[in-house]
Structure formats: structure tokens, C-alpha cells
Amino acid sequence: MASPPAGPSLASACRFALEIPGVESAALFVVGPDSKLSLVGAAGIEGAPIERLAEAVREPGHPVARTATCGKAEFDVKPVGPGGPALRSHLPLVSQPTAKVLGVLAVAHDAPLSESDRA
């Protein structure tokens, strides 16, 4: 099965993430049939920075790739690459009831996220 095309619902998910206080950008990745992550939506980030991120997440050790593999959310992670906000949070998108990770929403922010913002 091919990755879904970026569409209104995927773009709106990224824009919705920007409504969380302090979140400056969001990128949505889906896990393809080859287990590789593909960028399907973004908000607050464009051009070379999002292109570098889309390439970087293909490395198994990248924090977004780790979230896709383990299925566990990570909050307030220091970025791997230079530039942008000071912290990142990675949220797995999980199918129920199989618990299969379908993708990852990655957000960038300067201050740690509060418990309510994490929820």
C-alpha cells in the first residue's frame, strides 16, 4: 500500500499542532510499505529545513525514526541538526487495535511542553 498523499486532513493536522502554545512547526511522516518514513505534511517549516528533516528521518538512529520503530512518544528532545527551536517532541500515530505505528507527528518548540499540551 502506498503512502497517502498529502491532503487537507494531513495539512490540517500539522496546522492544528501549531495551536499548542509554543509549538513553532510541525511535520507529519507516514511509515511506507518499505518501513521508510515519508513526509506527507508540514506547517511552520518549509524549504531547505524541511527537506533536510525529510532526508534525516530516513536514518534509523534519528529520533523521529526511533519513535516510528518503538511507538513511544518522546517529549522535549534536543534536536539532532542545527537551527530552529531548542526542543522537539515526536508523537507516534498508532492504529488501534493492532498498535501498529502508521506515522509520526514531529513538533518543534523552545520551552518544554506542559502536561496538558502533551495530552
Side-chain angles (χ1 to χ4, degrees):
M1 176 168 68
S3 298
S9 62
L10 296 175
S12 64
C14 291
R15 286 193 304 274
F16 179 74
L18 296 184
E19 294 178 17
I20 297 169
V23 171
E24 295 184 28
S25 66
L28 182 60
F29 299 90
V30 295
V31 179
D34 57 1
S35 297
K36 291 190 178 178
L37 289 167
S38 296
L39 177 69
V40 294
I45 182 173
E46 57 187 26
I50 192 65
E51 291 170 12
R52 284 193 303 270
L53 178 60
E55 185 63 31
V57 301
R58 293 179 179 228
E59 294 297 324
H62 190 280
V64 172
R66 286 195 317 259
T67 296
T69 300
C70 74
K72 185 174 185 275
E74 293 185 309
F75 295 98
D76 307 330
V77 177
K78 298 246 185 230
V80 172
L87 300 170
R88 311 290 191 264
S89 292
H90 312 117
L91 308 142
L93 307 173
V94 180
S95 170
Q96 296 300 330
T98 65
K100 179 180 178 181
V101 177
L102 303 176
V104 177
L105 177 64
V107 298
H109 45 95
D110 275 321
L113 294 177
S114 69
E115 287 299 319
S116 64
D117 290 336
R118 289 178 181 200

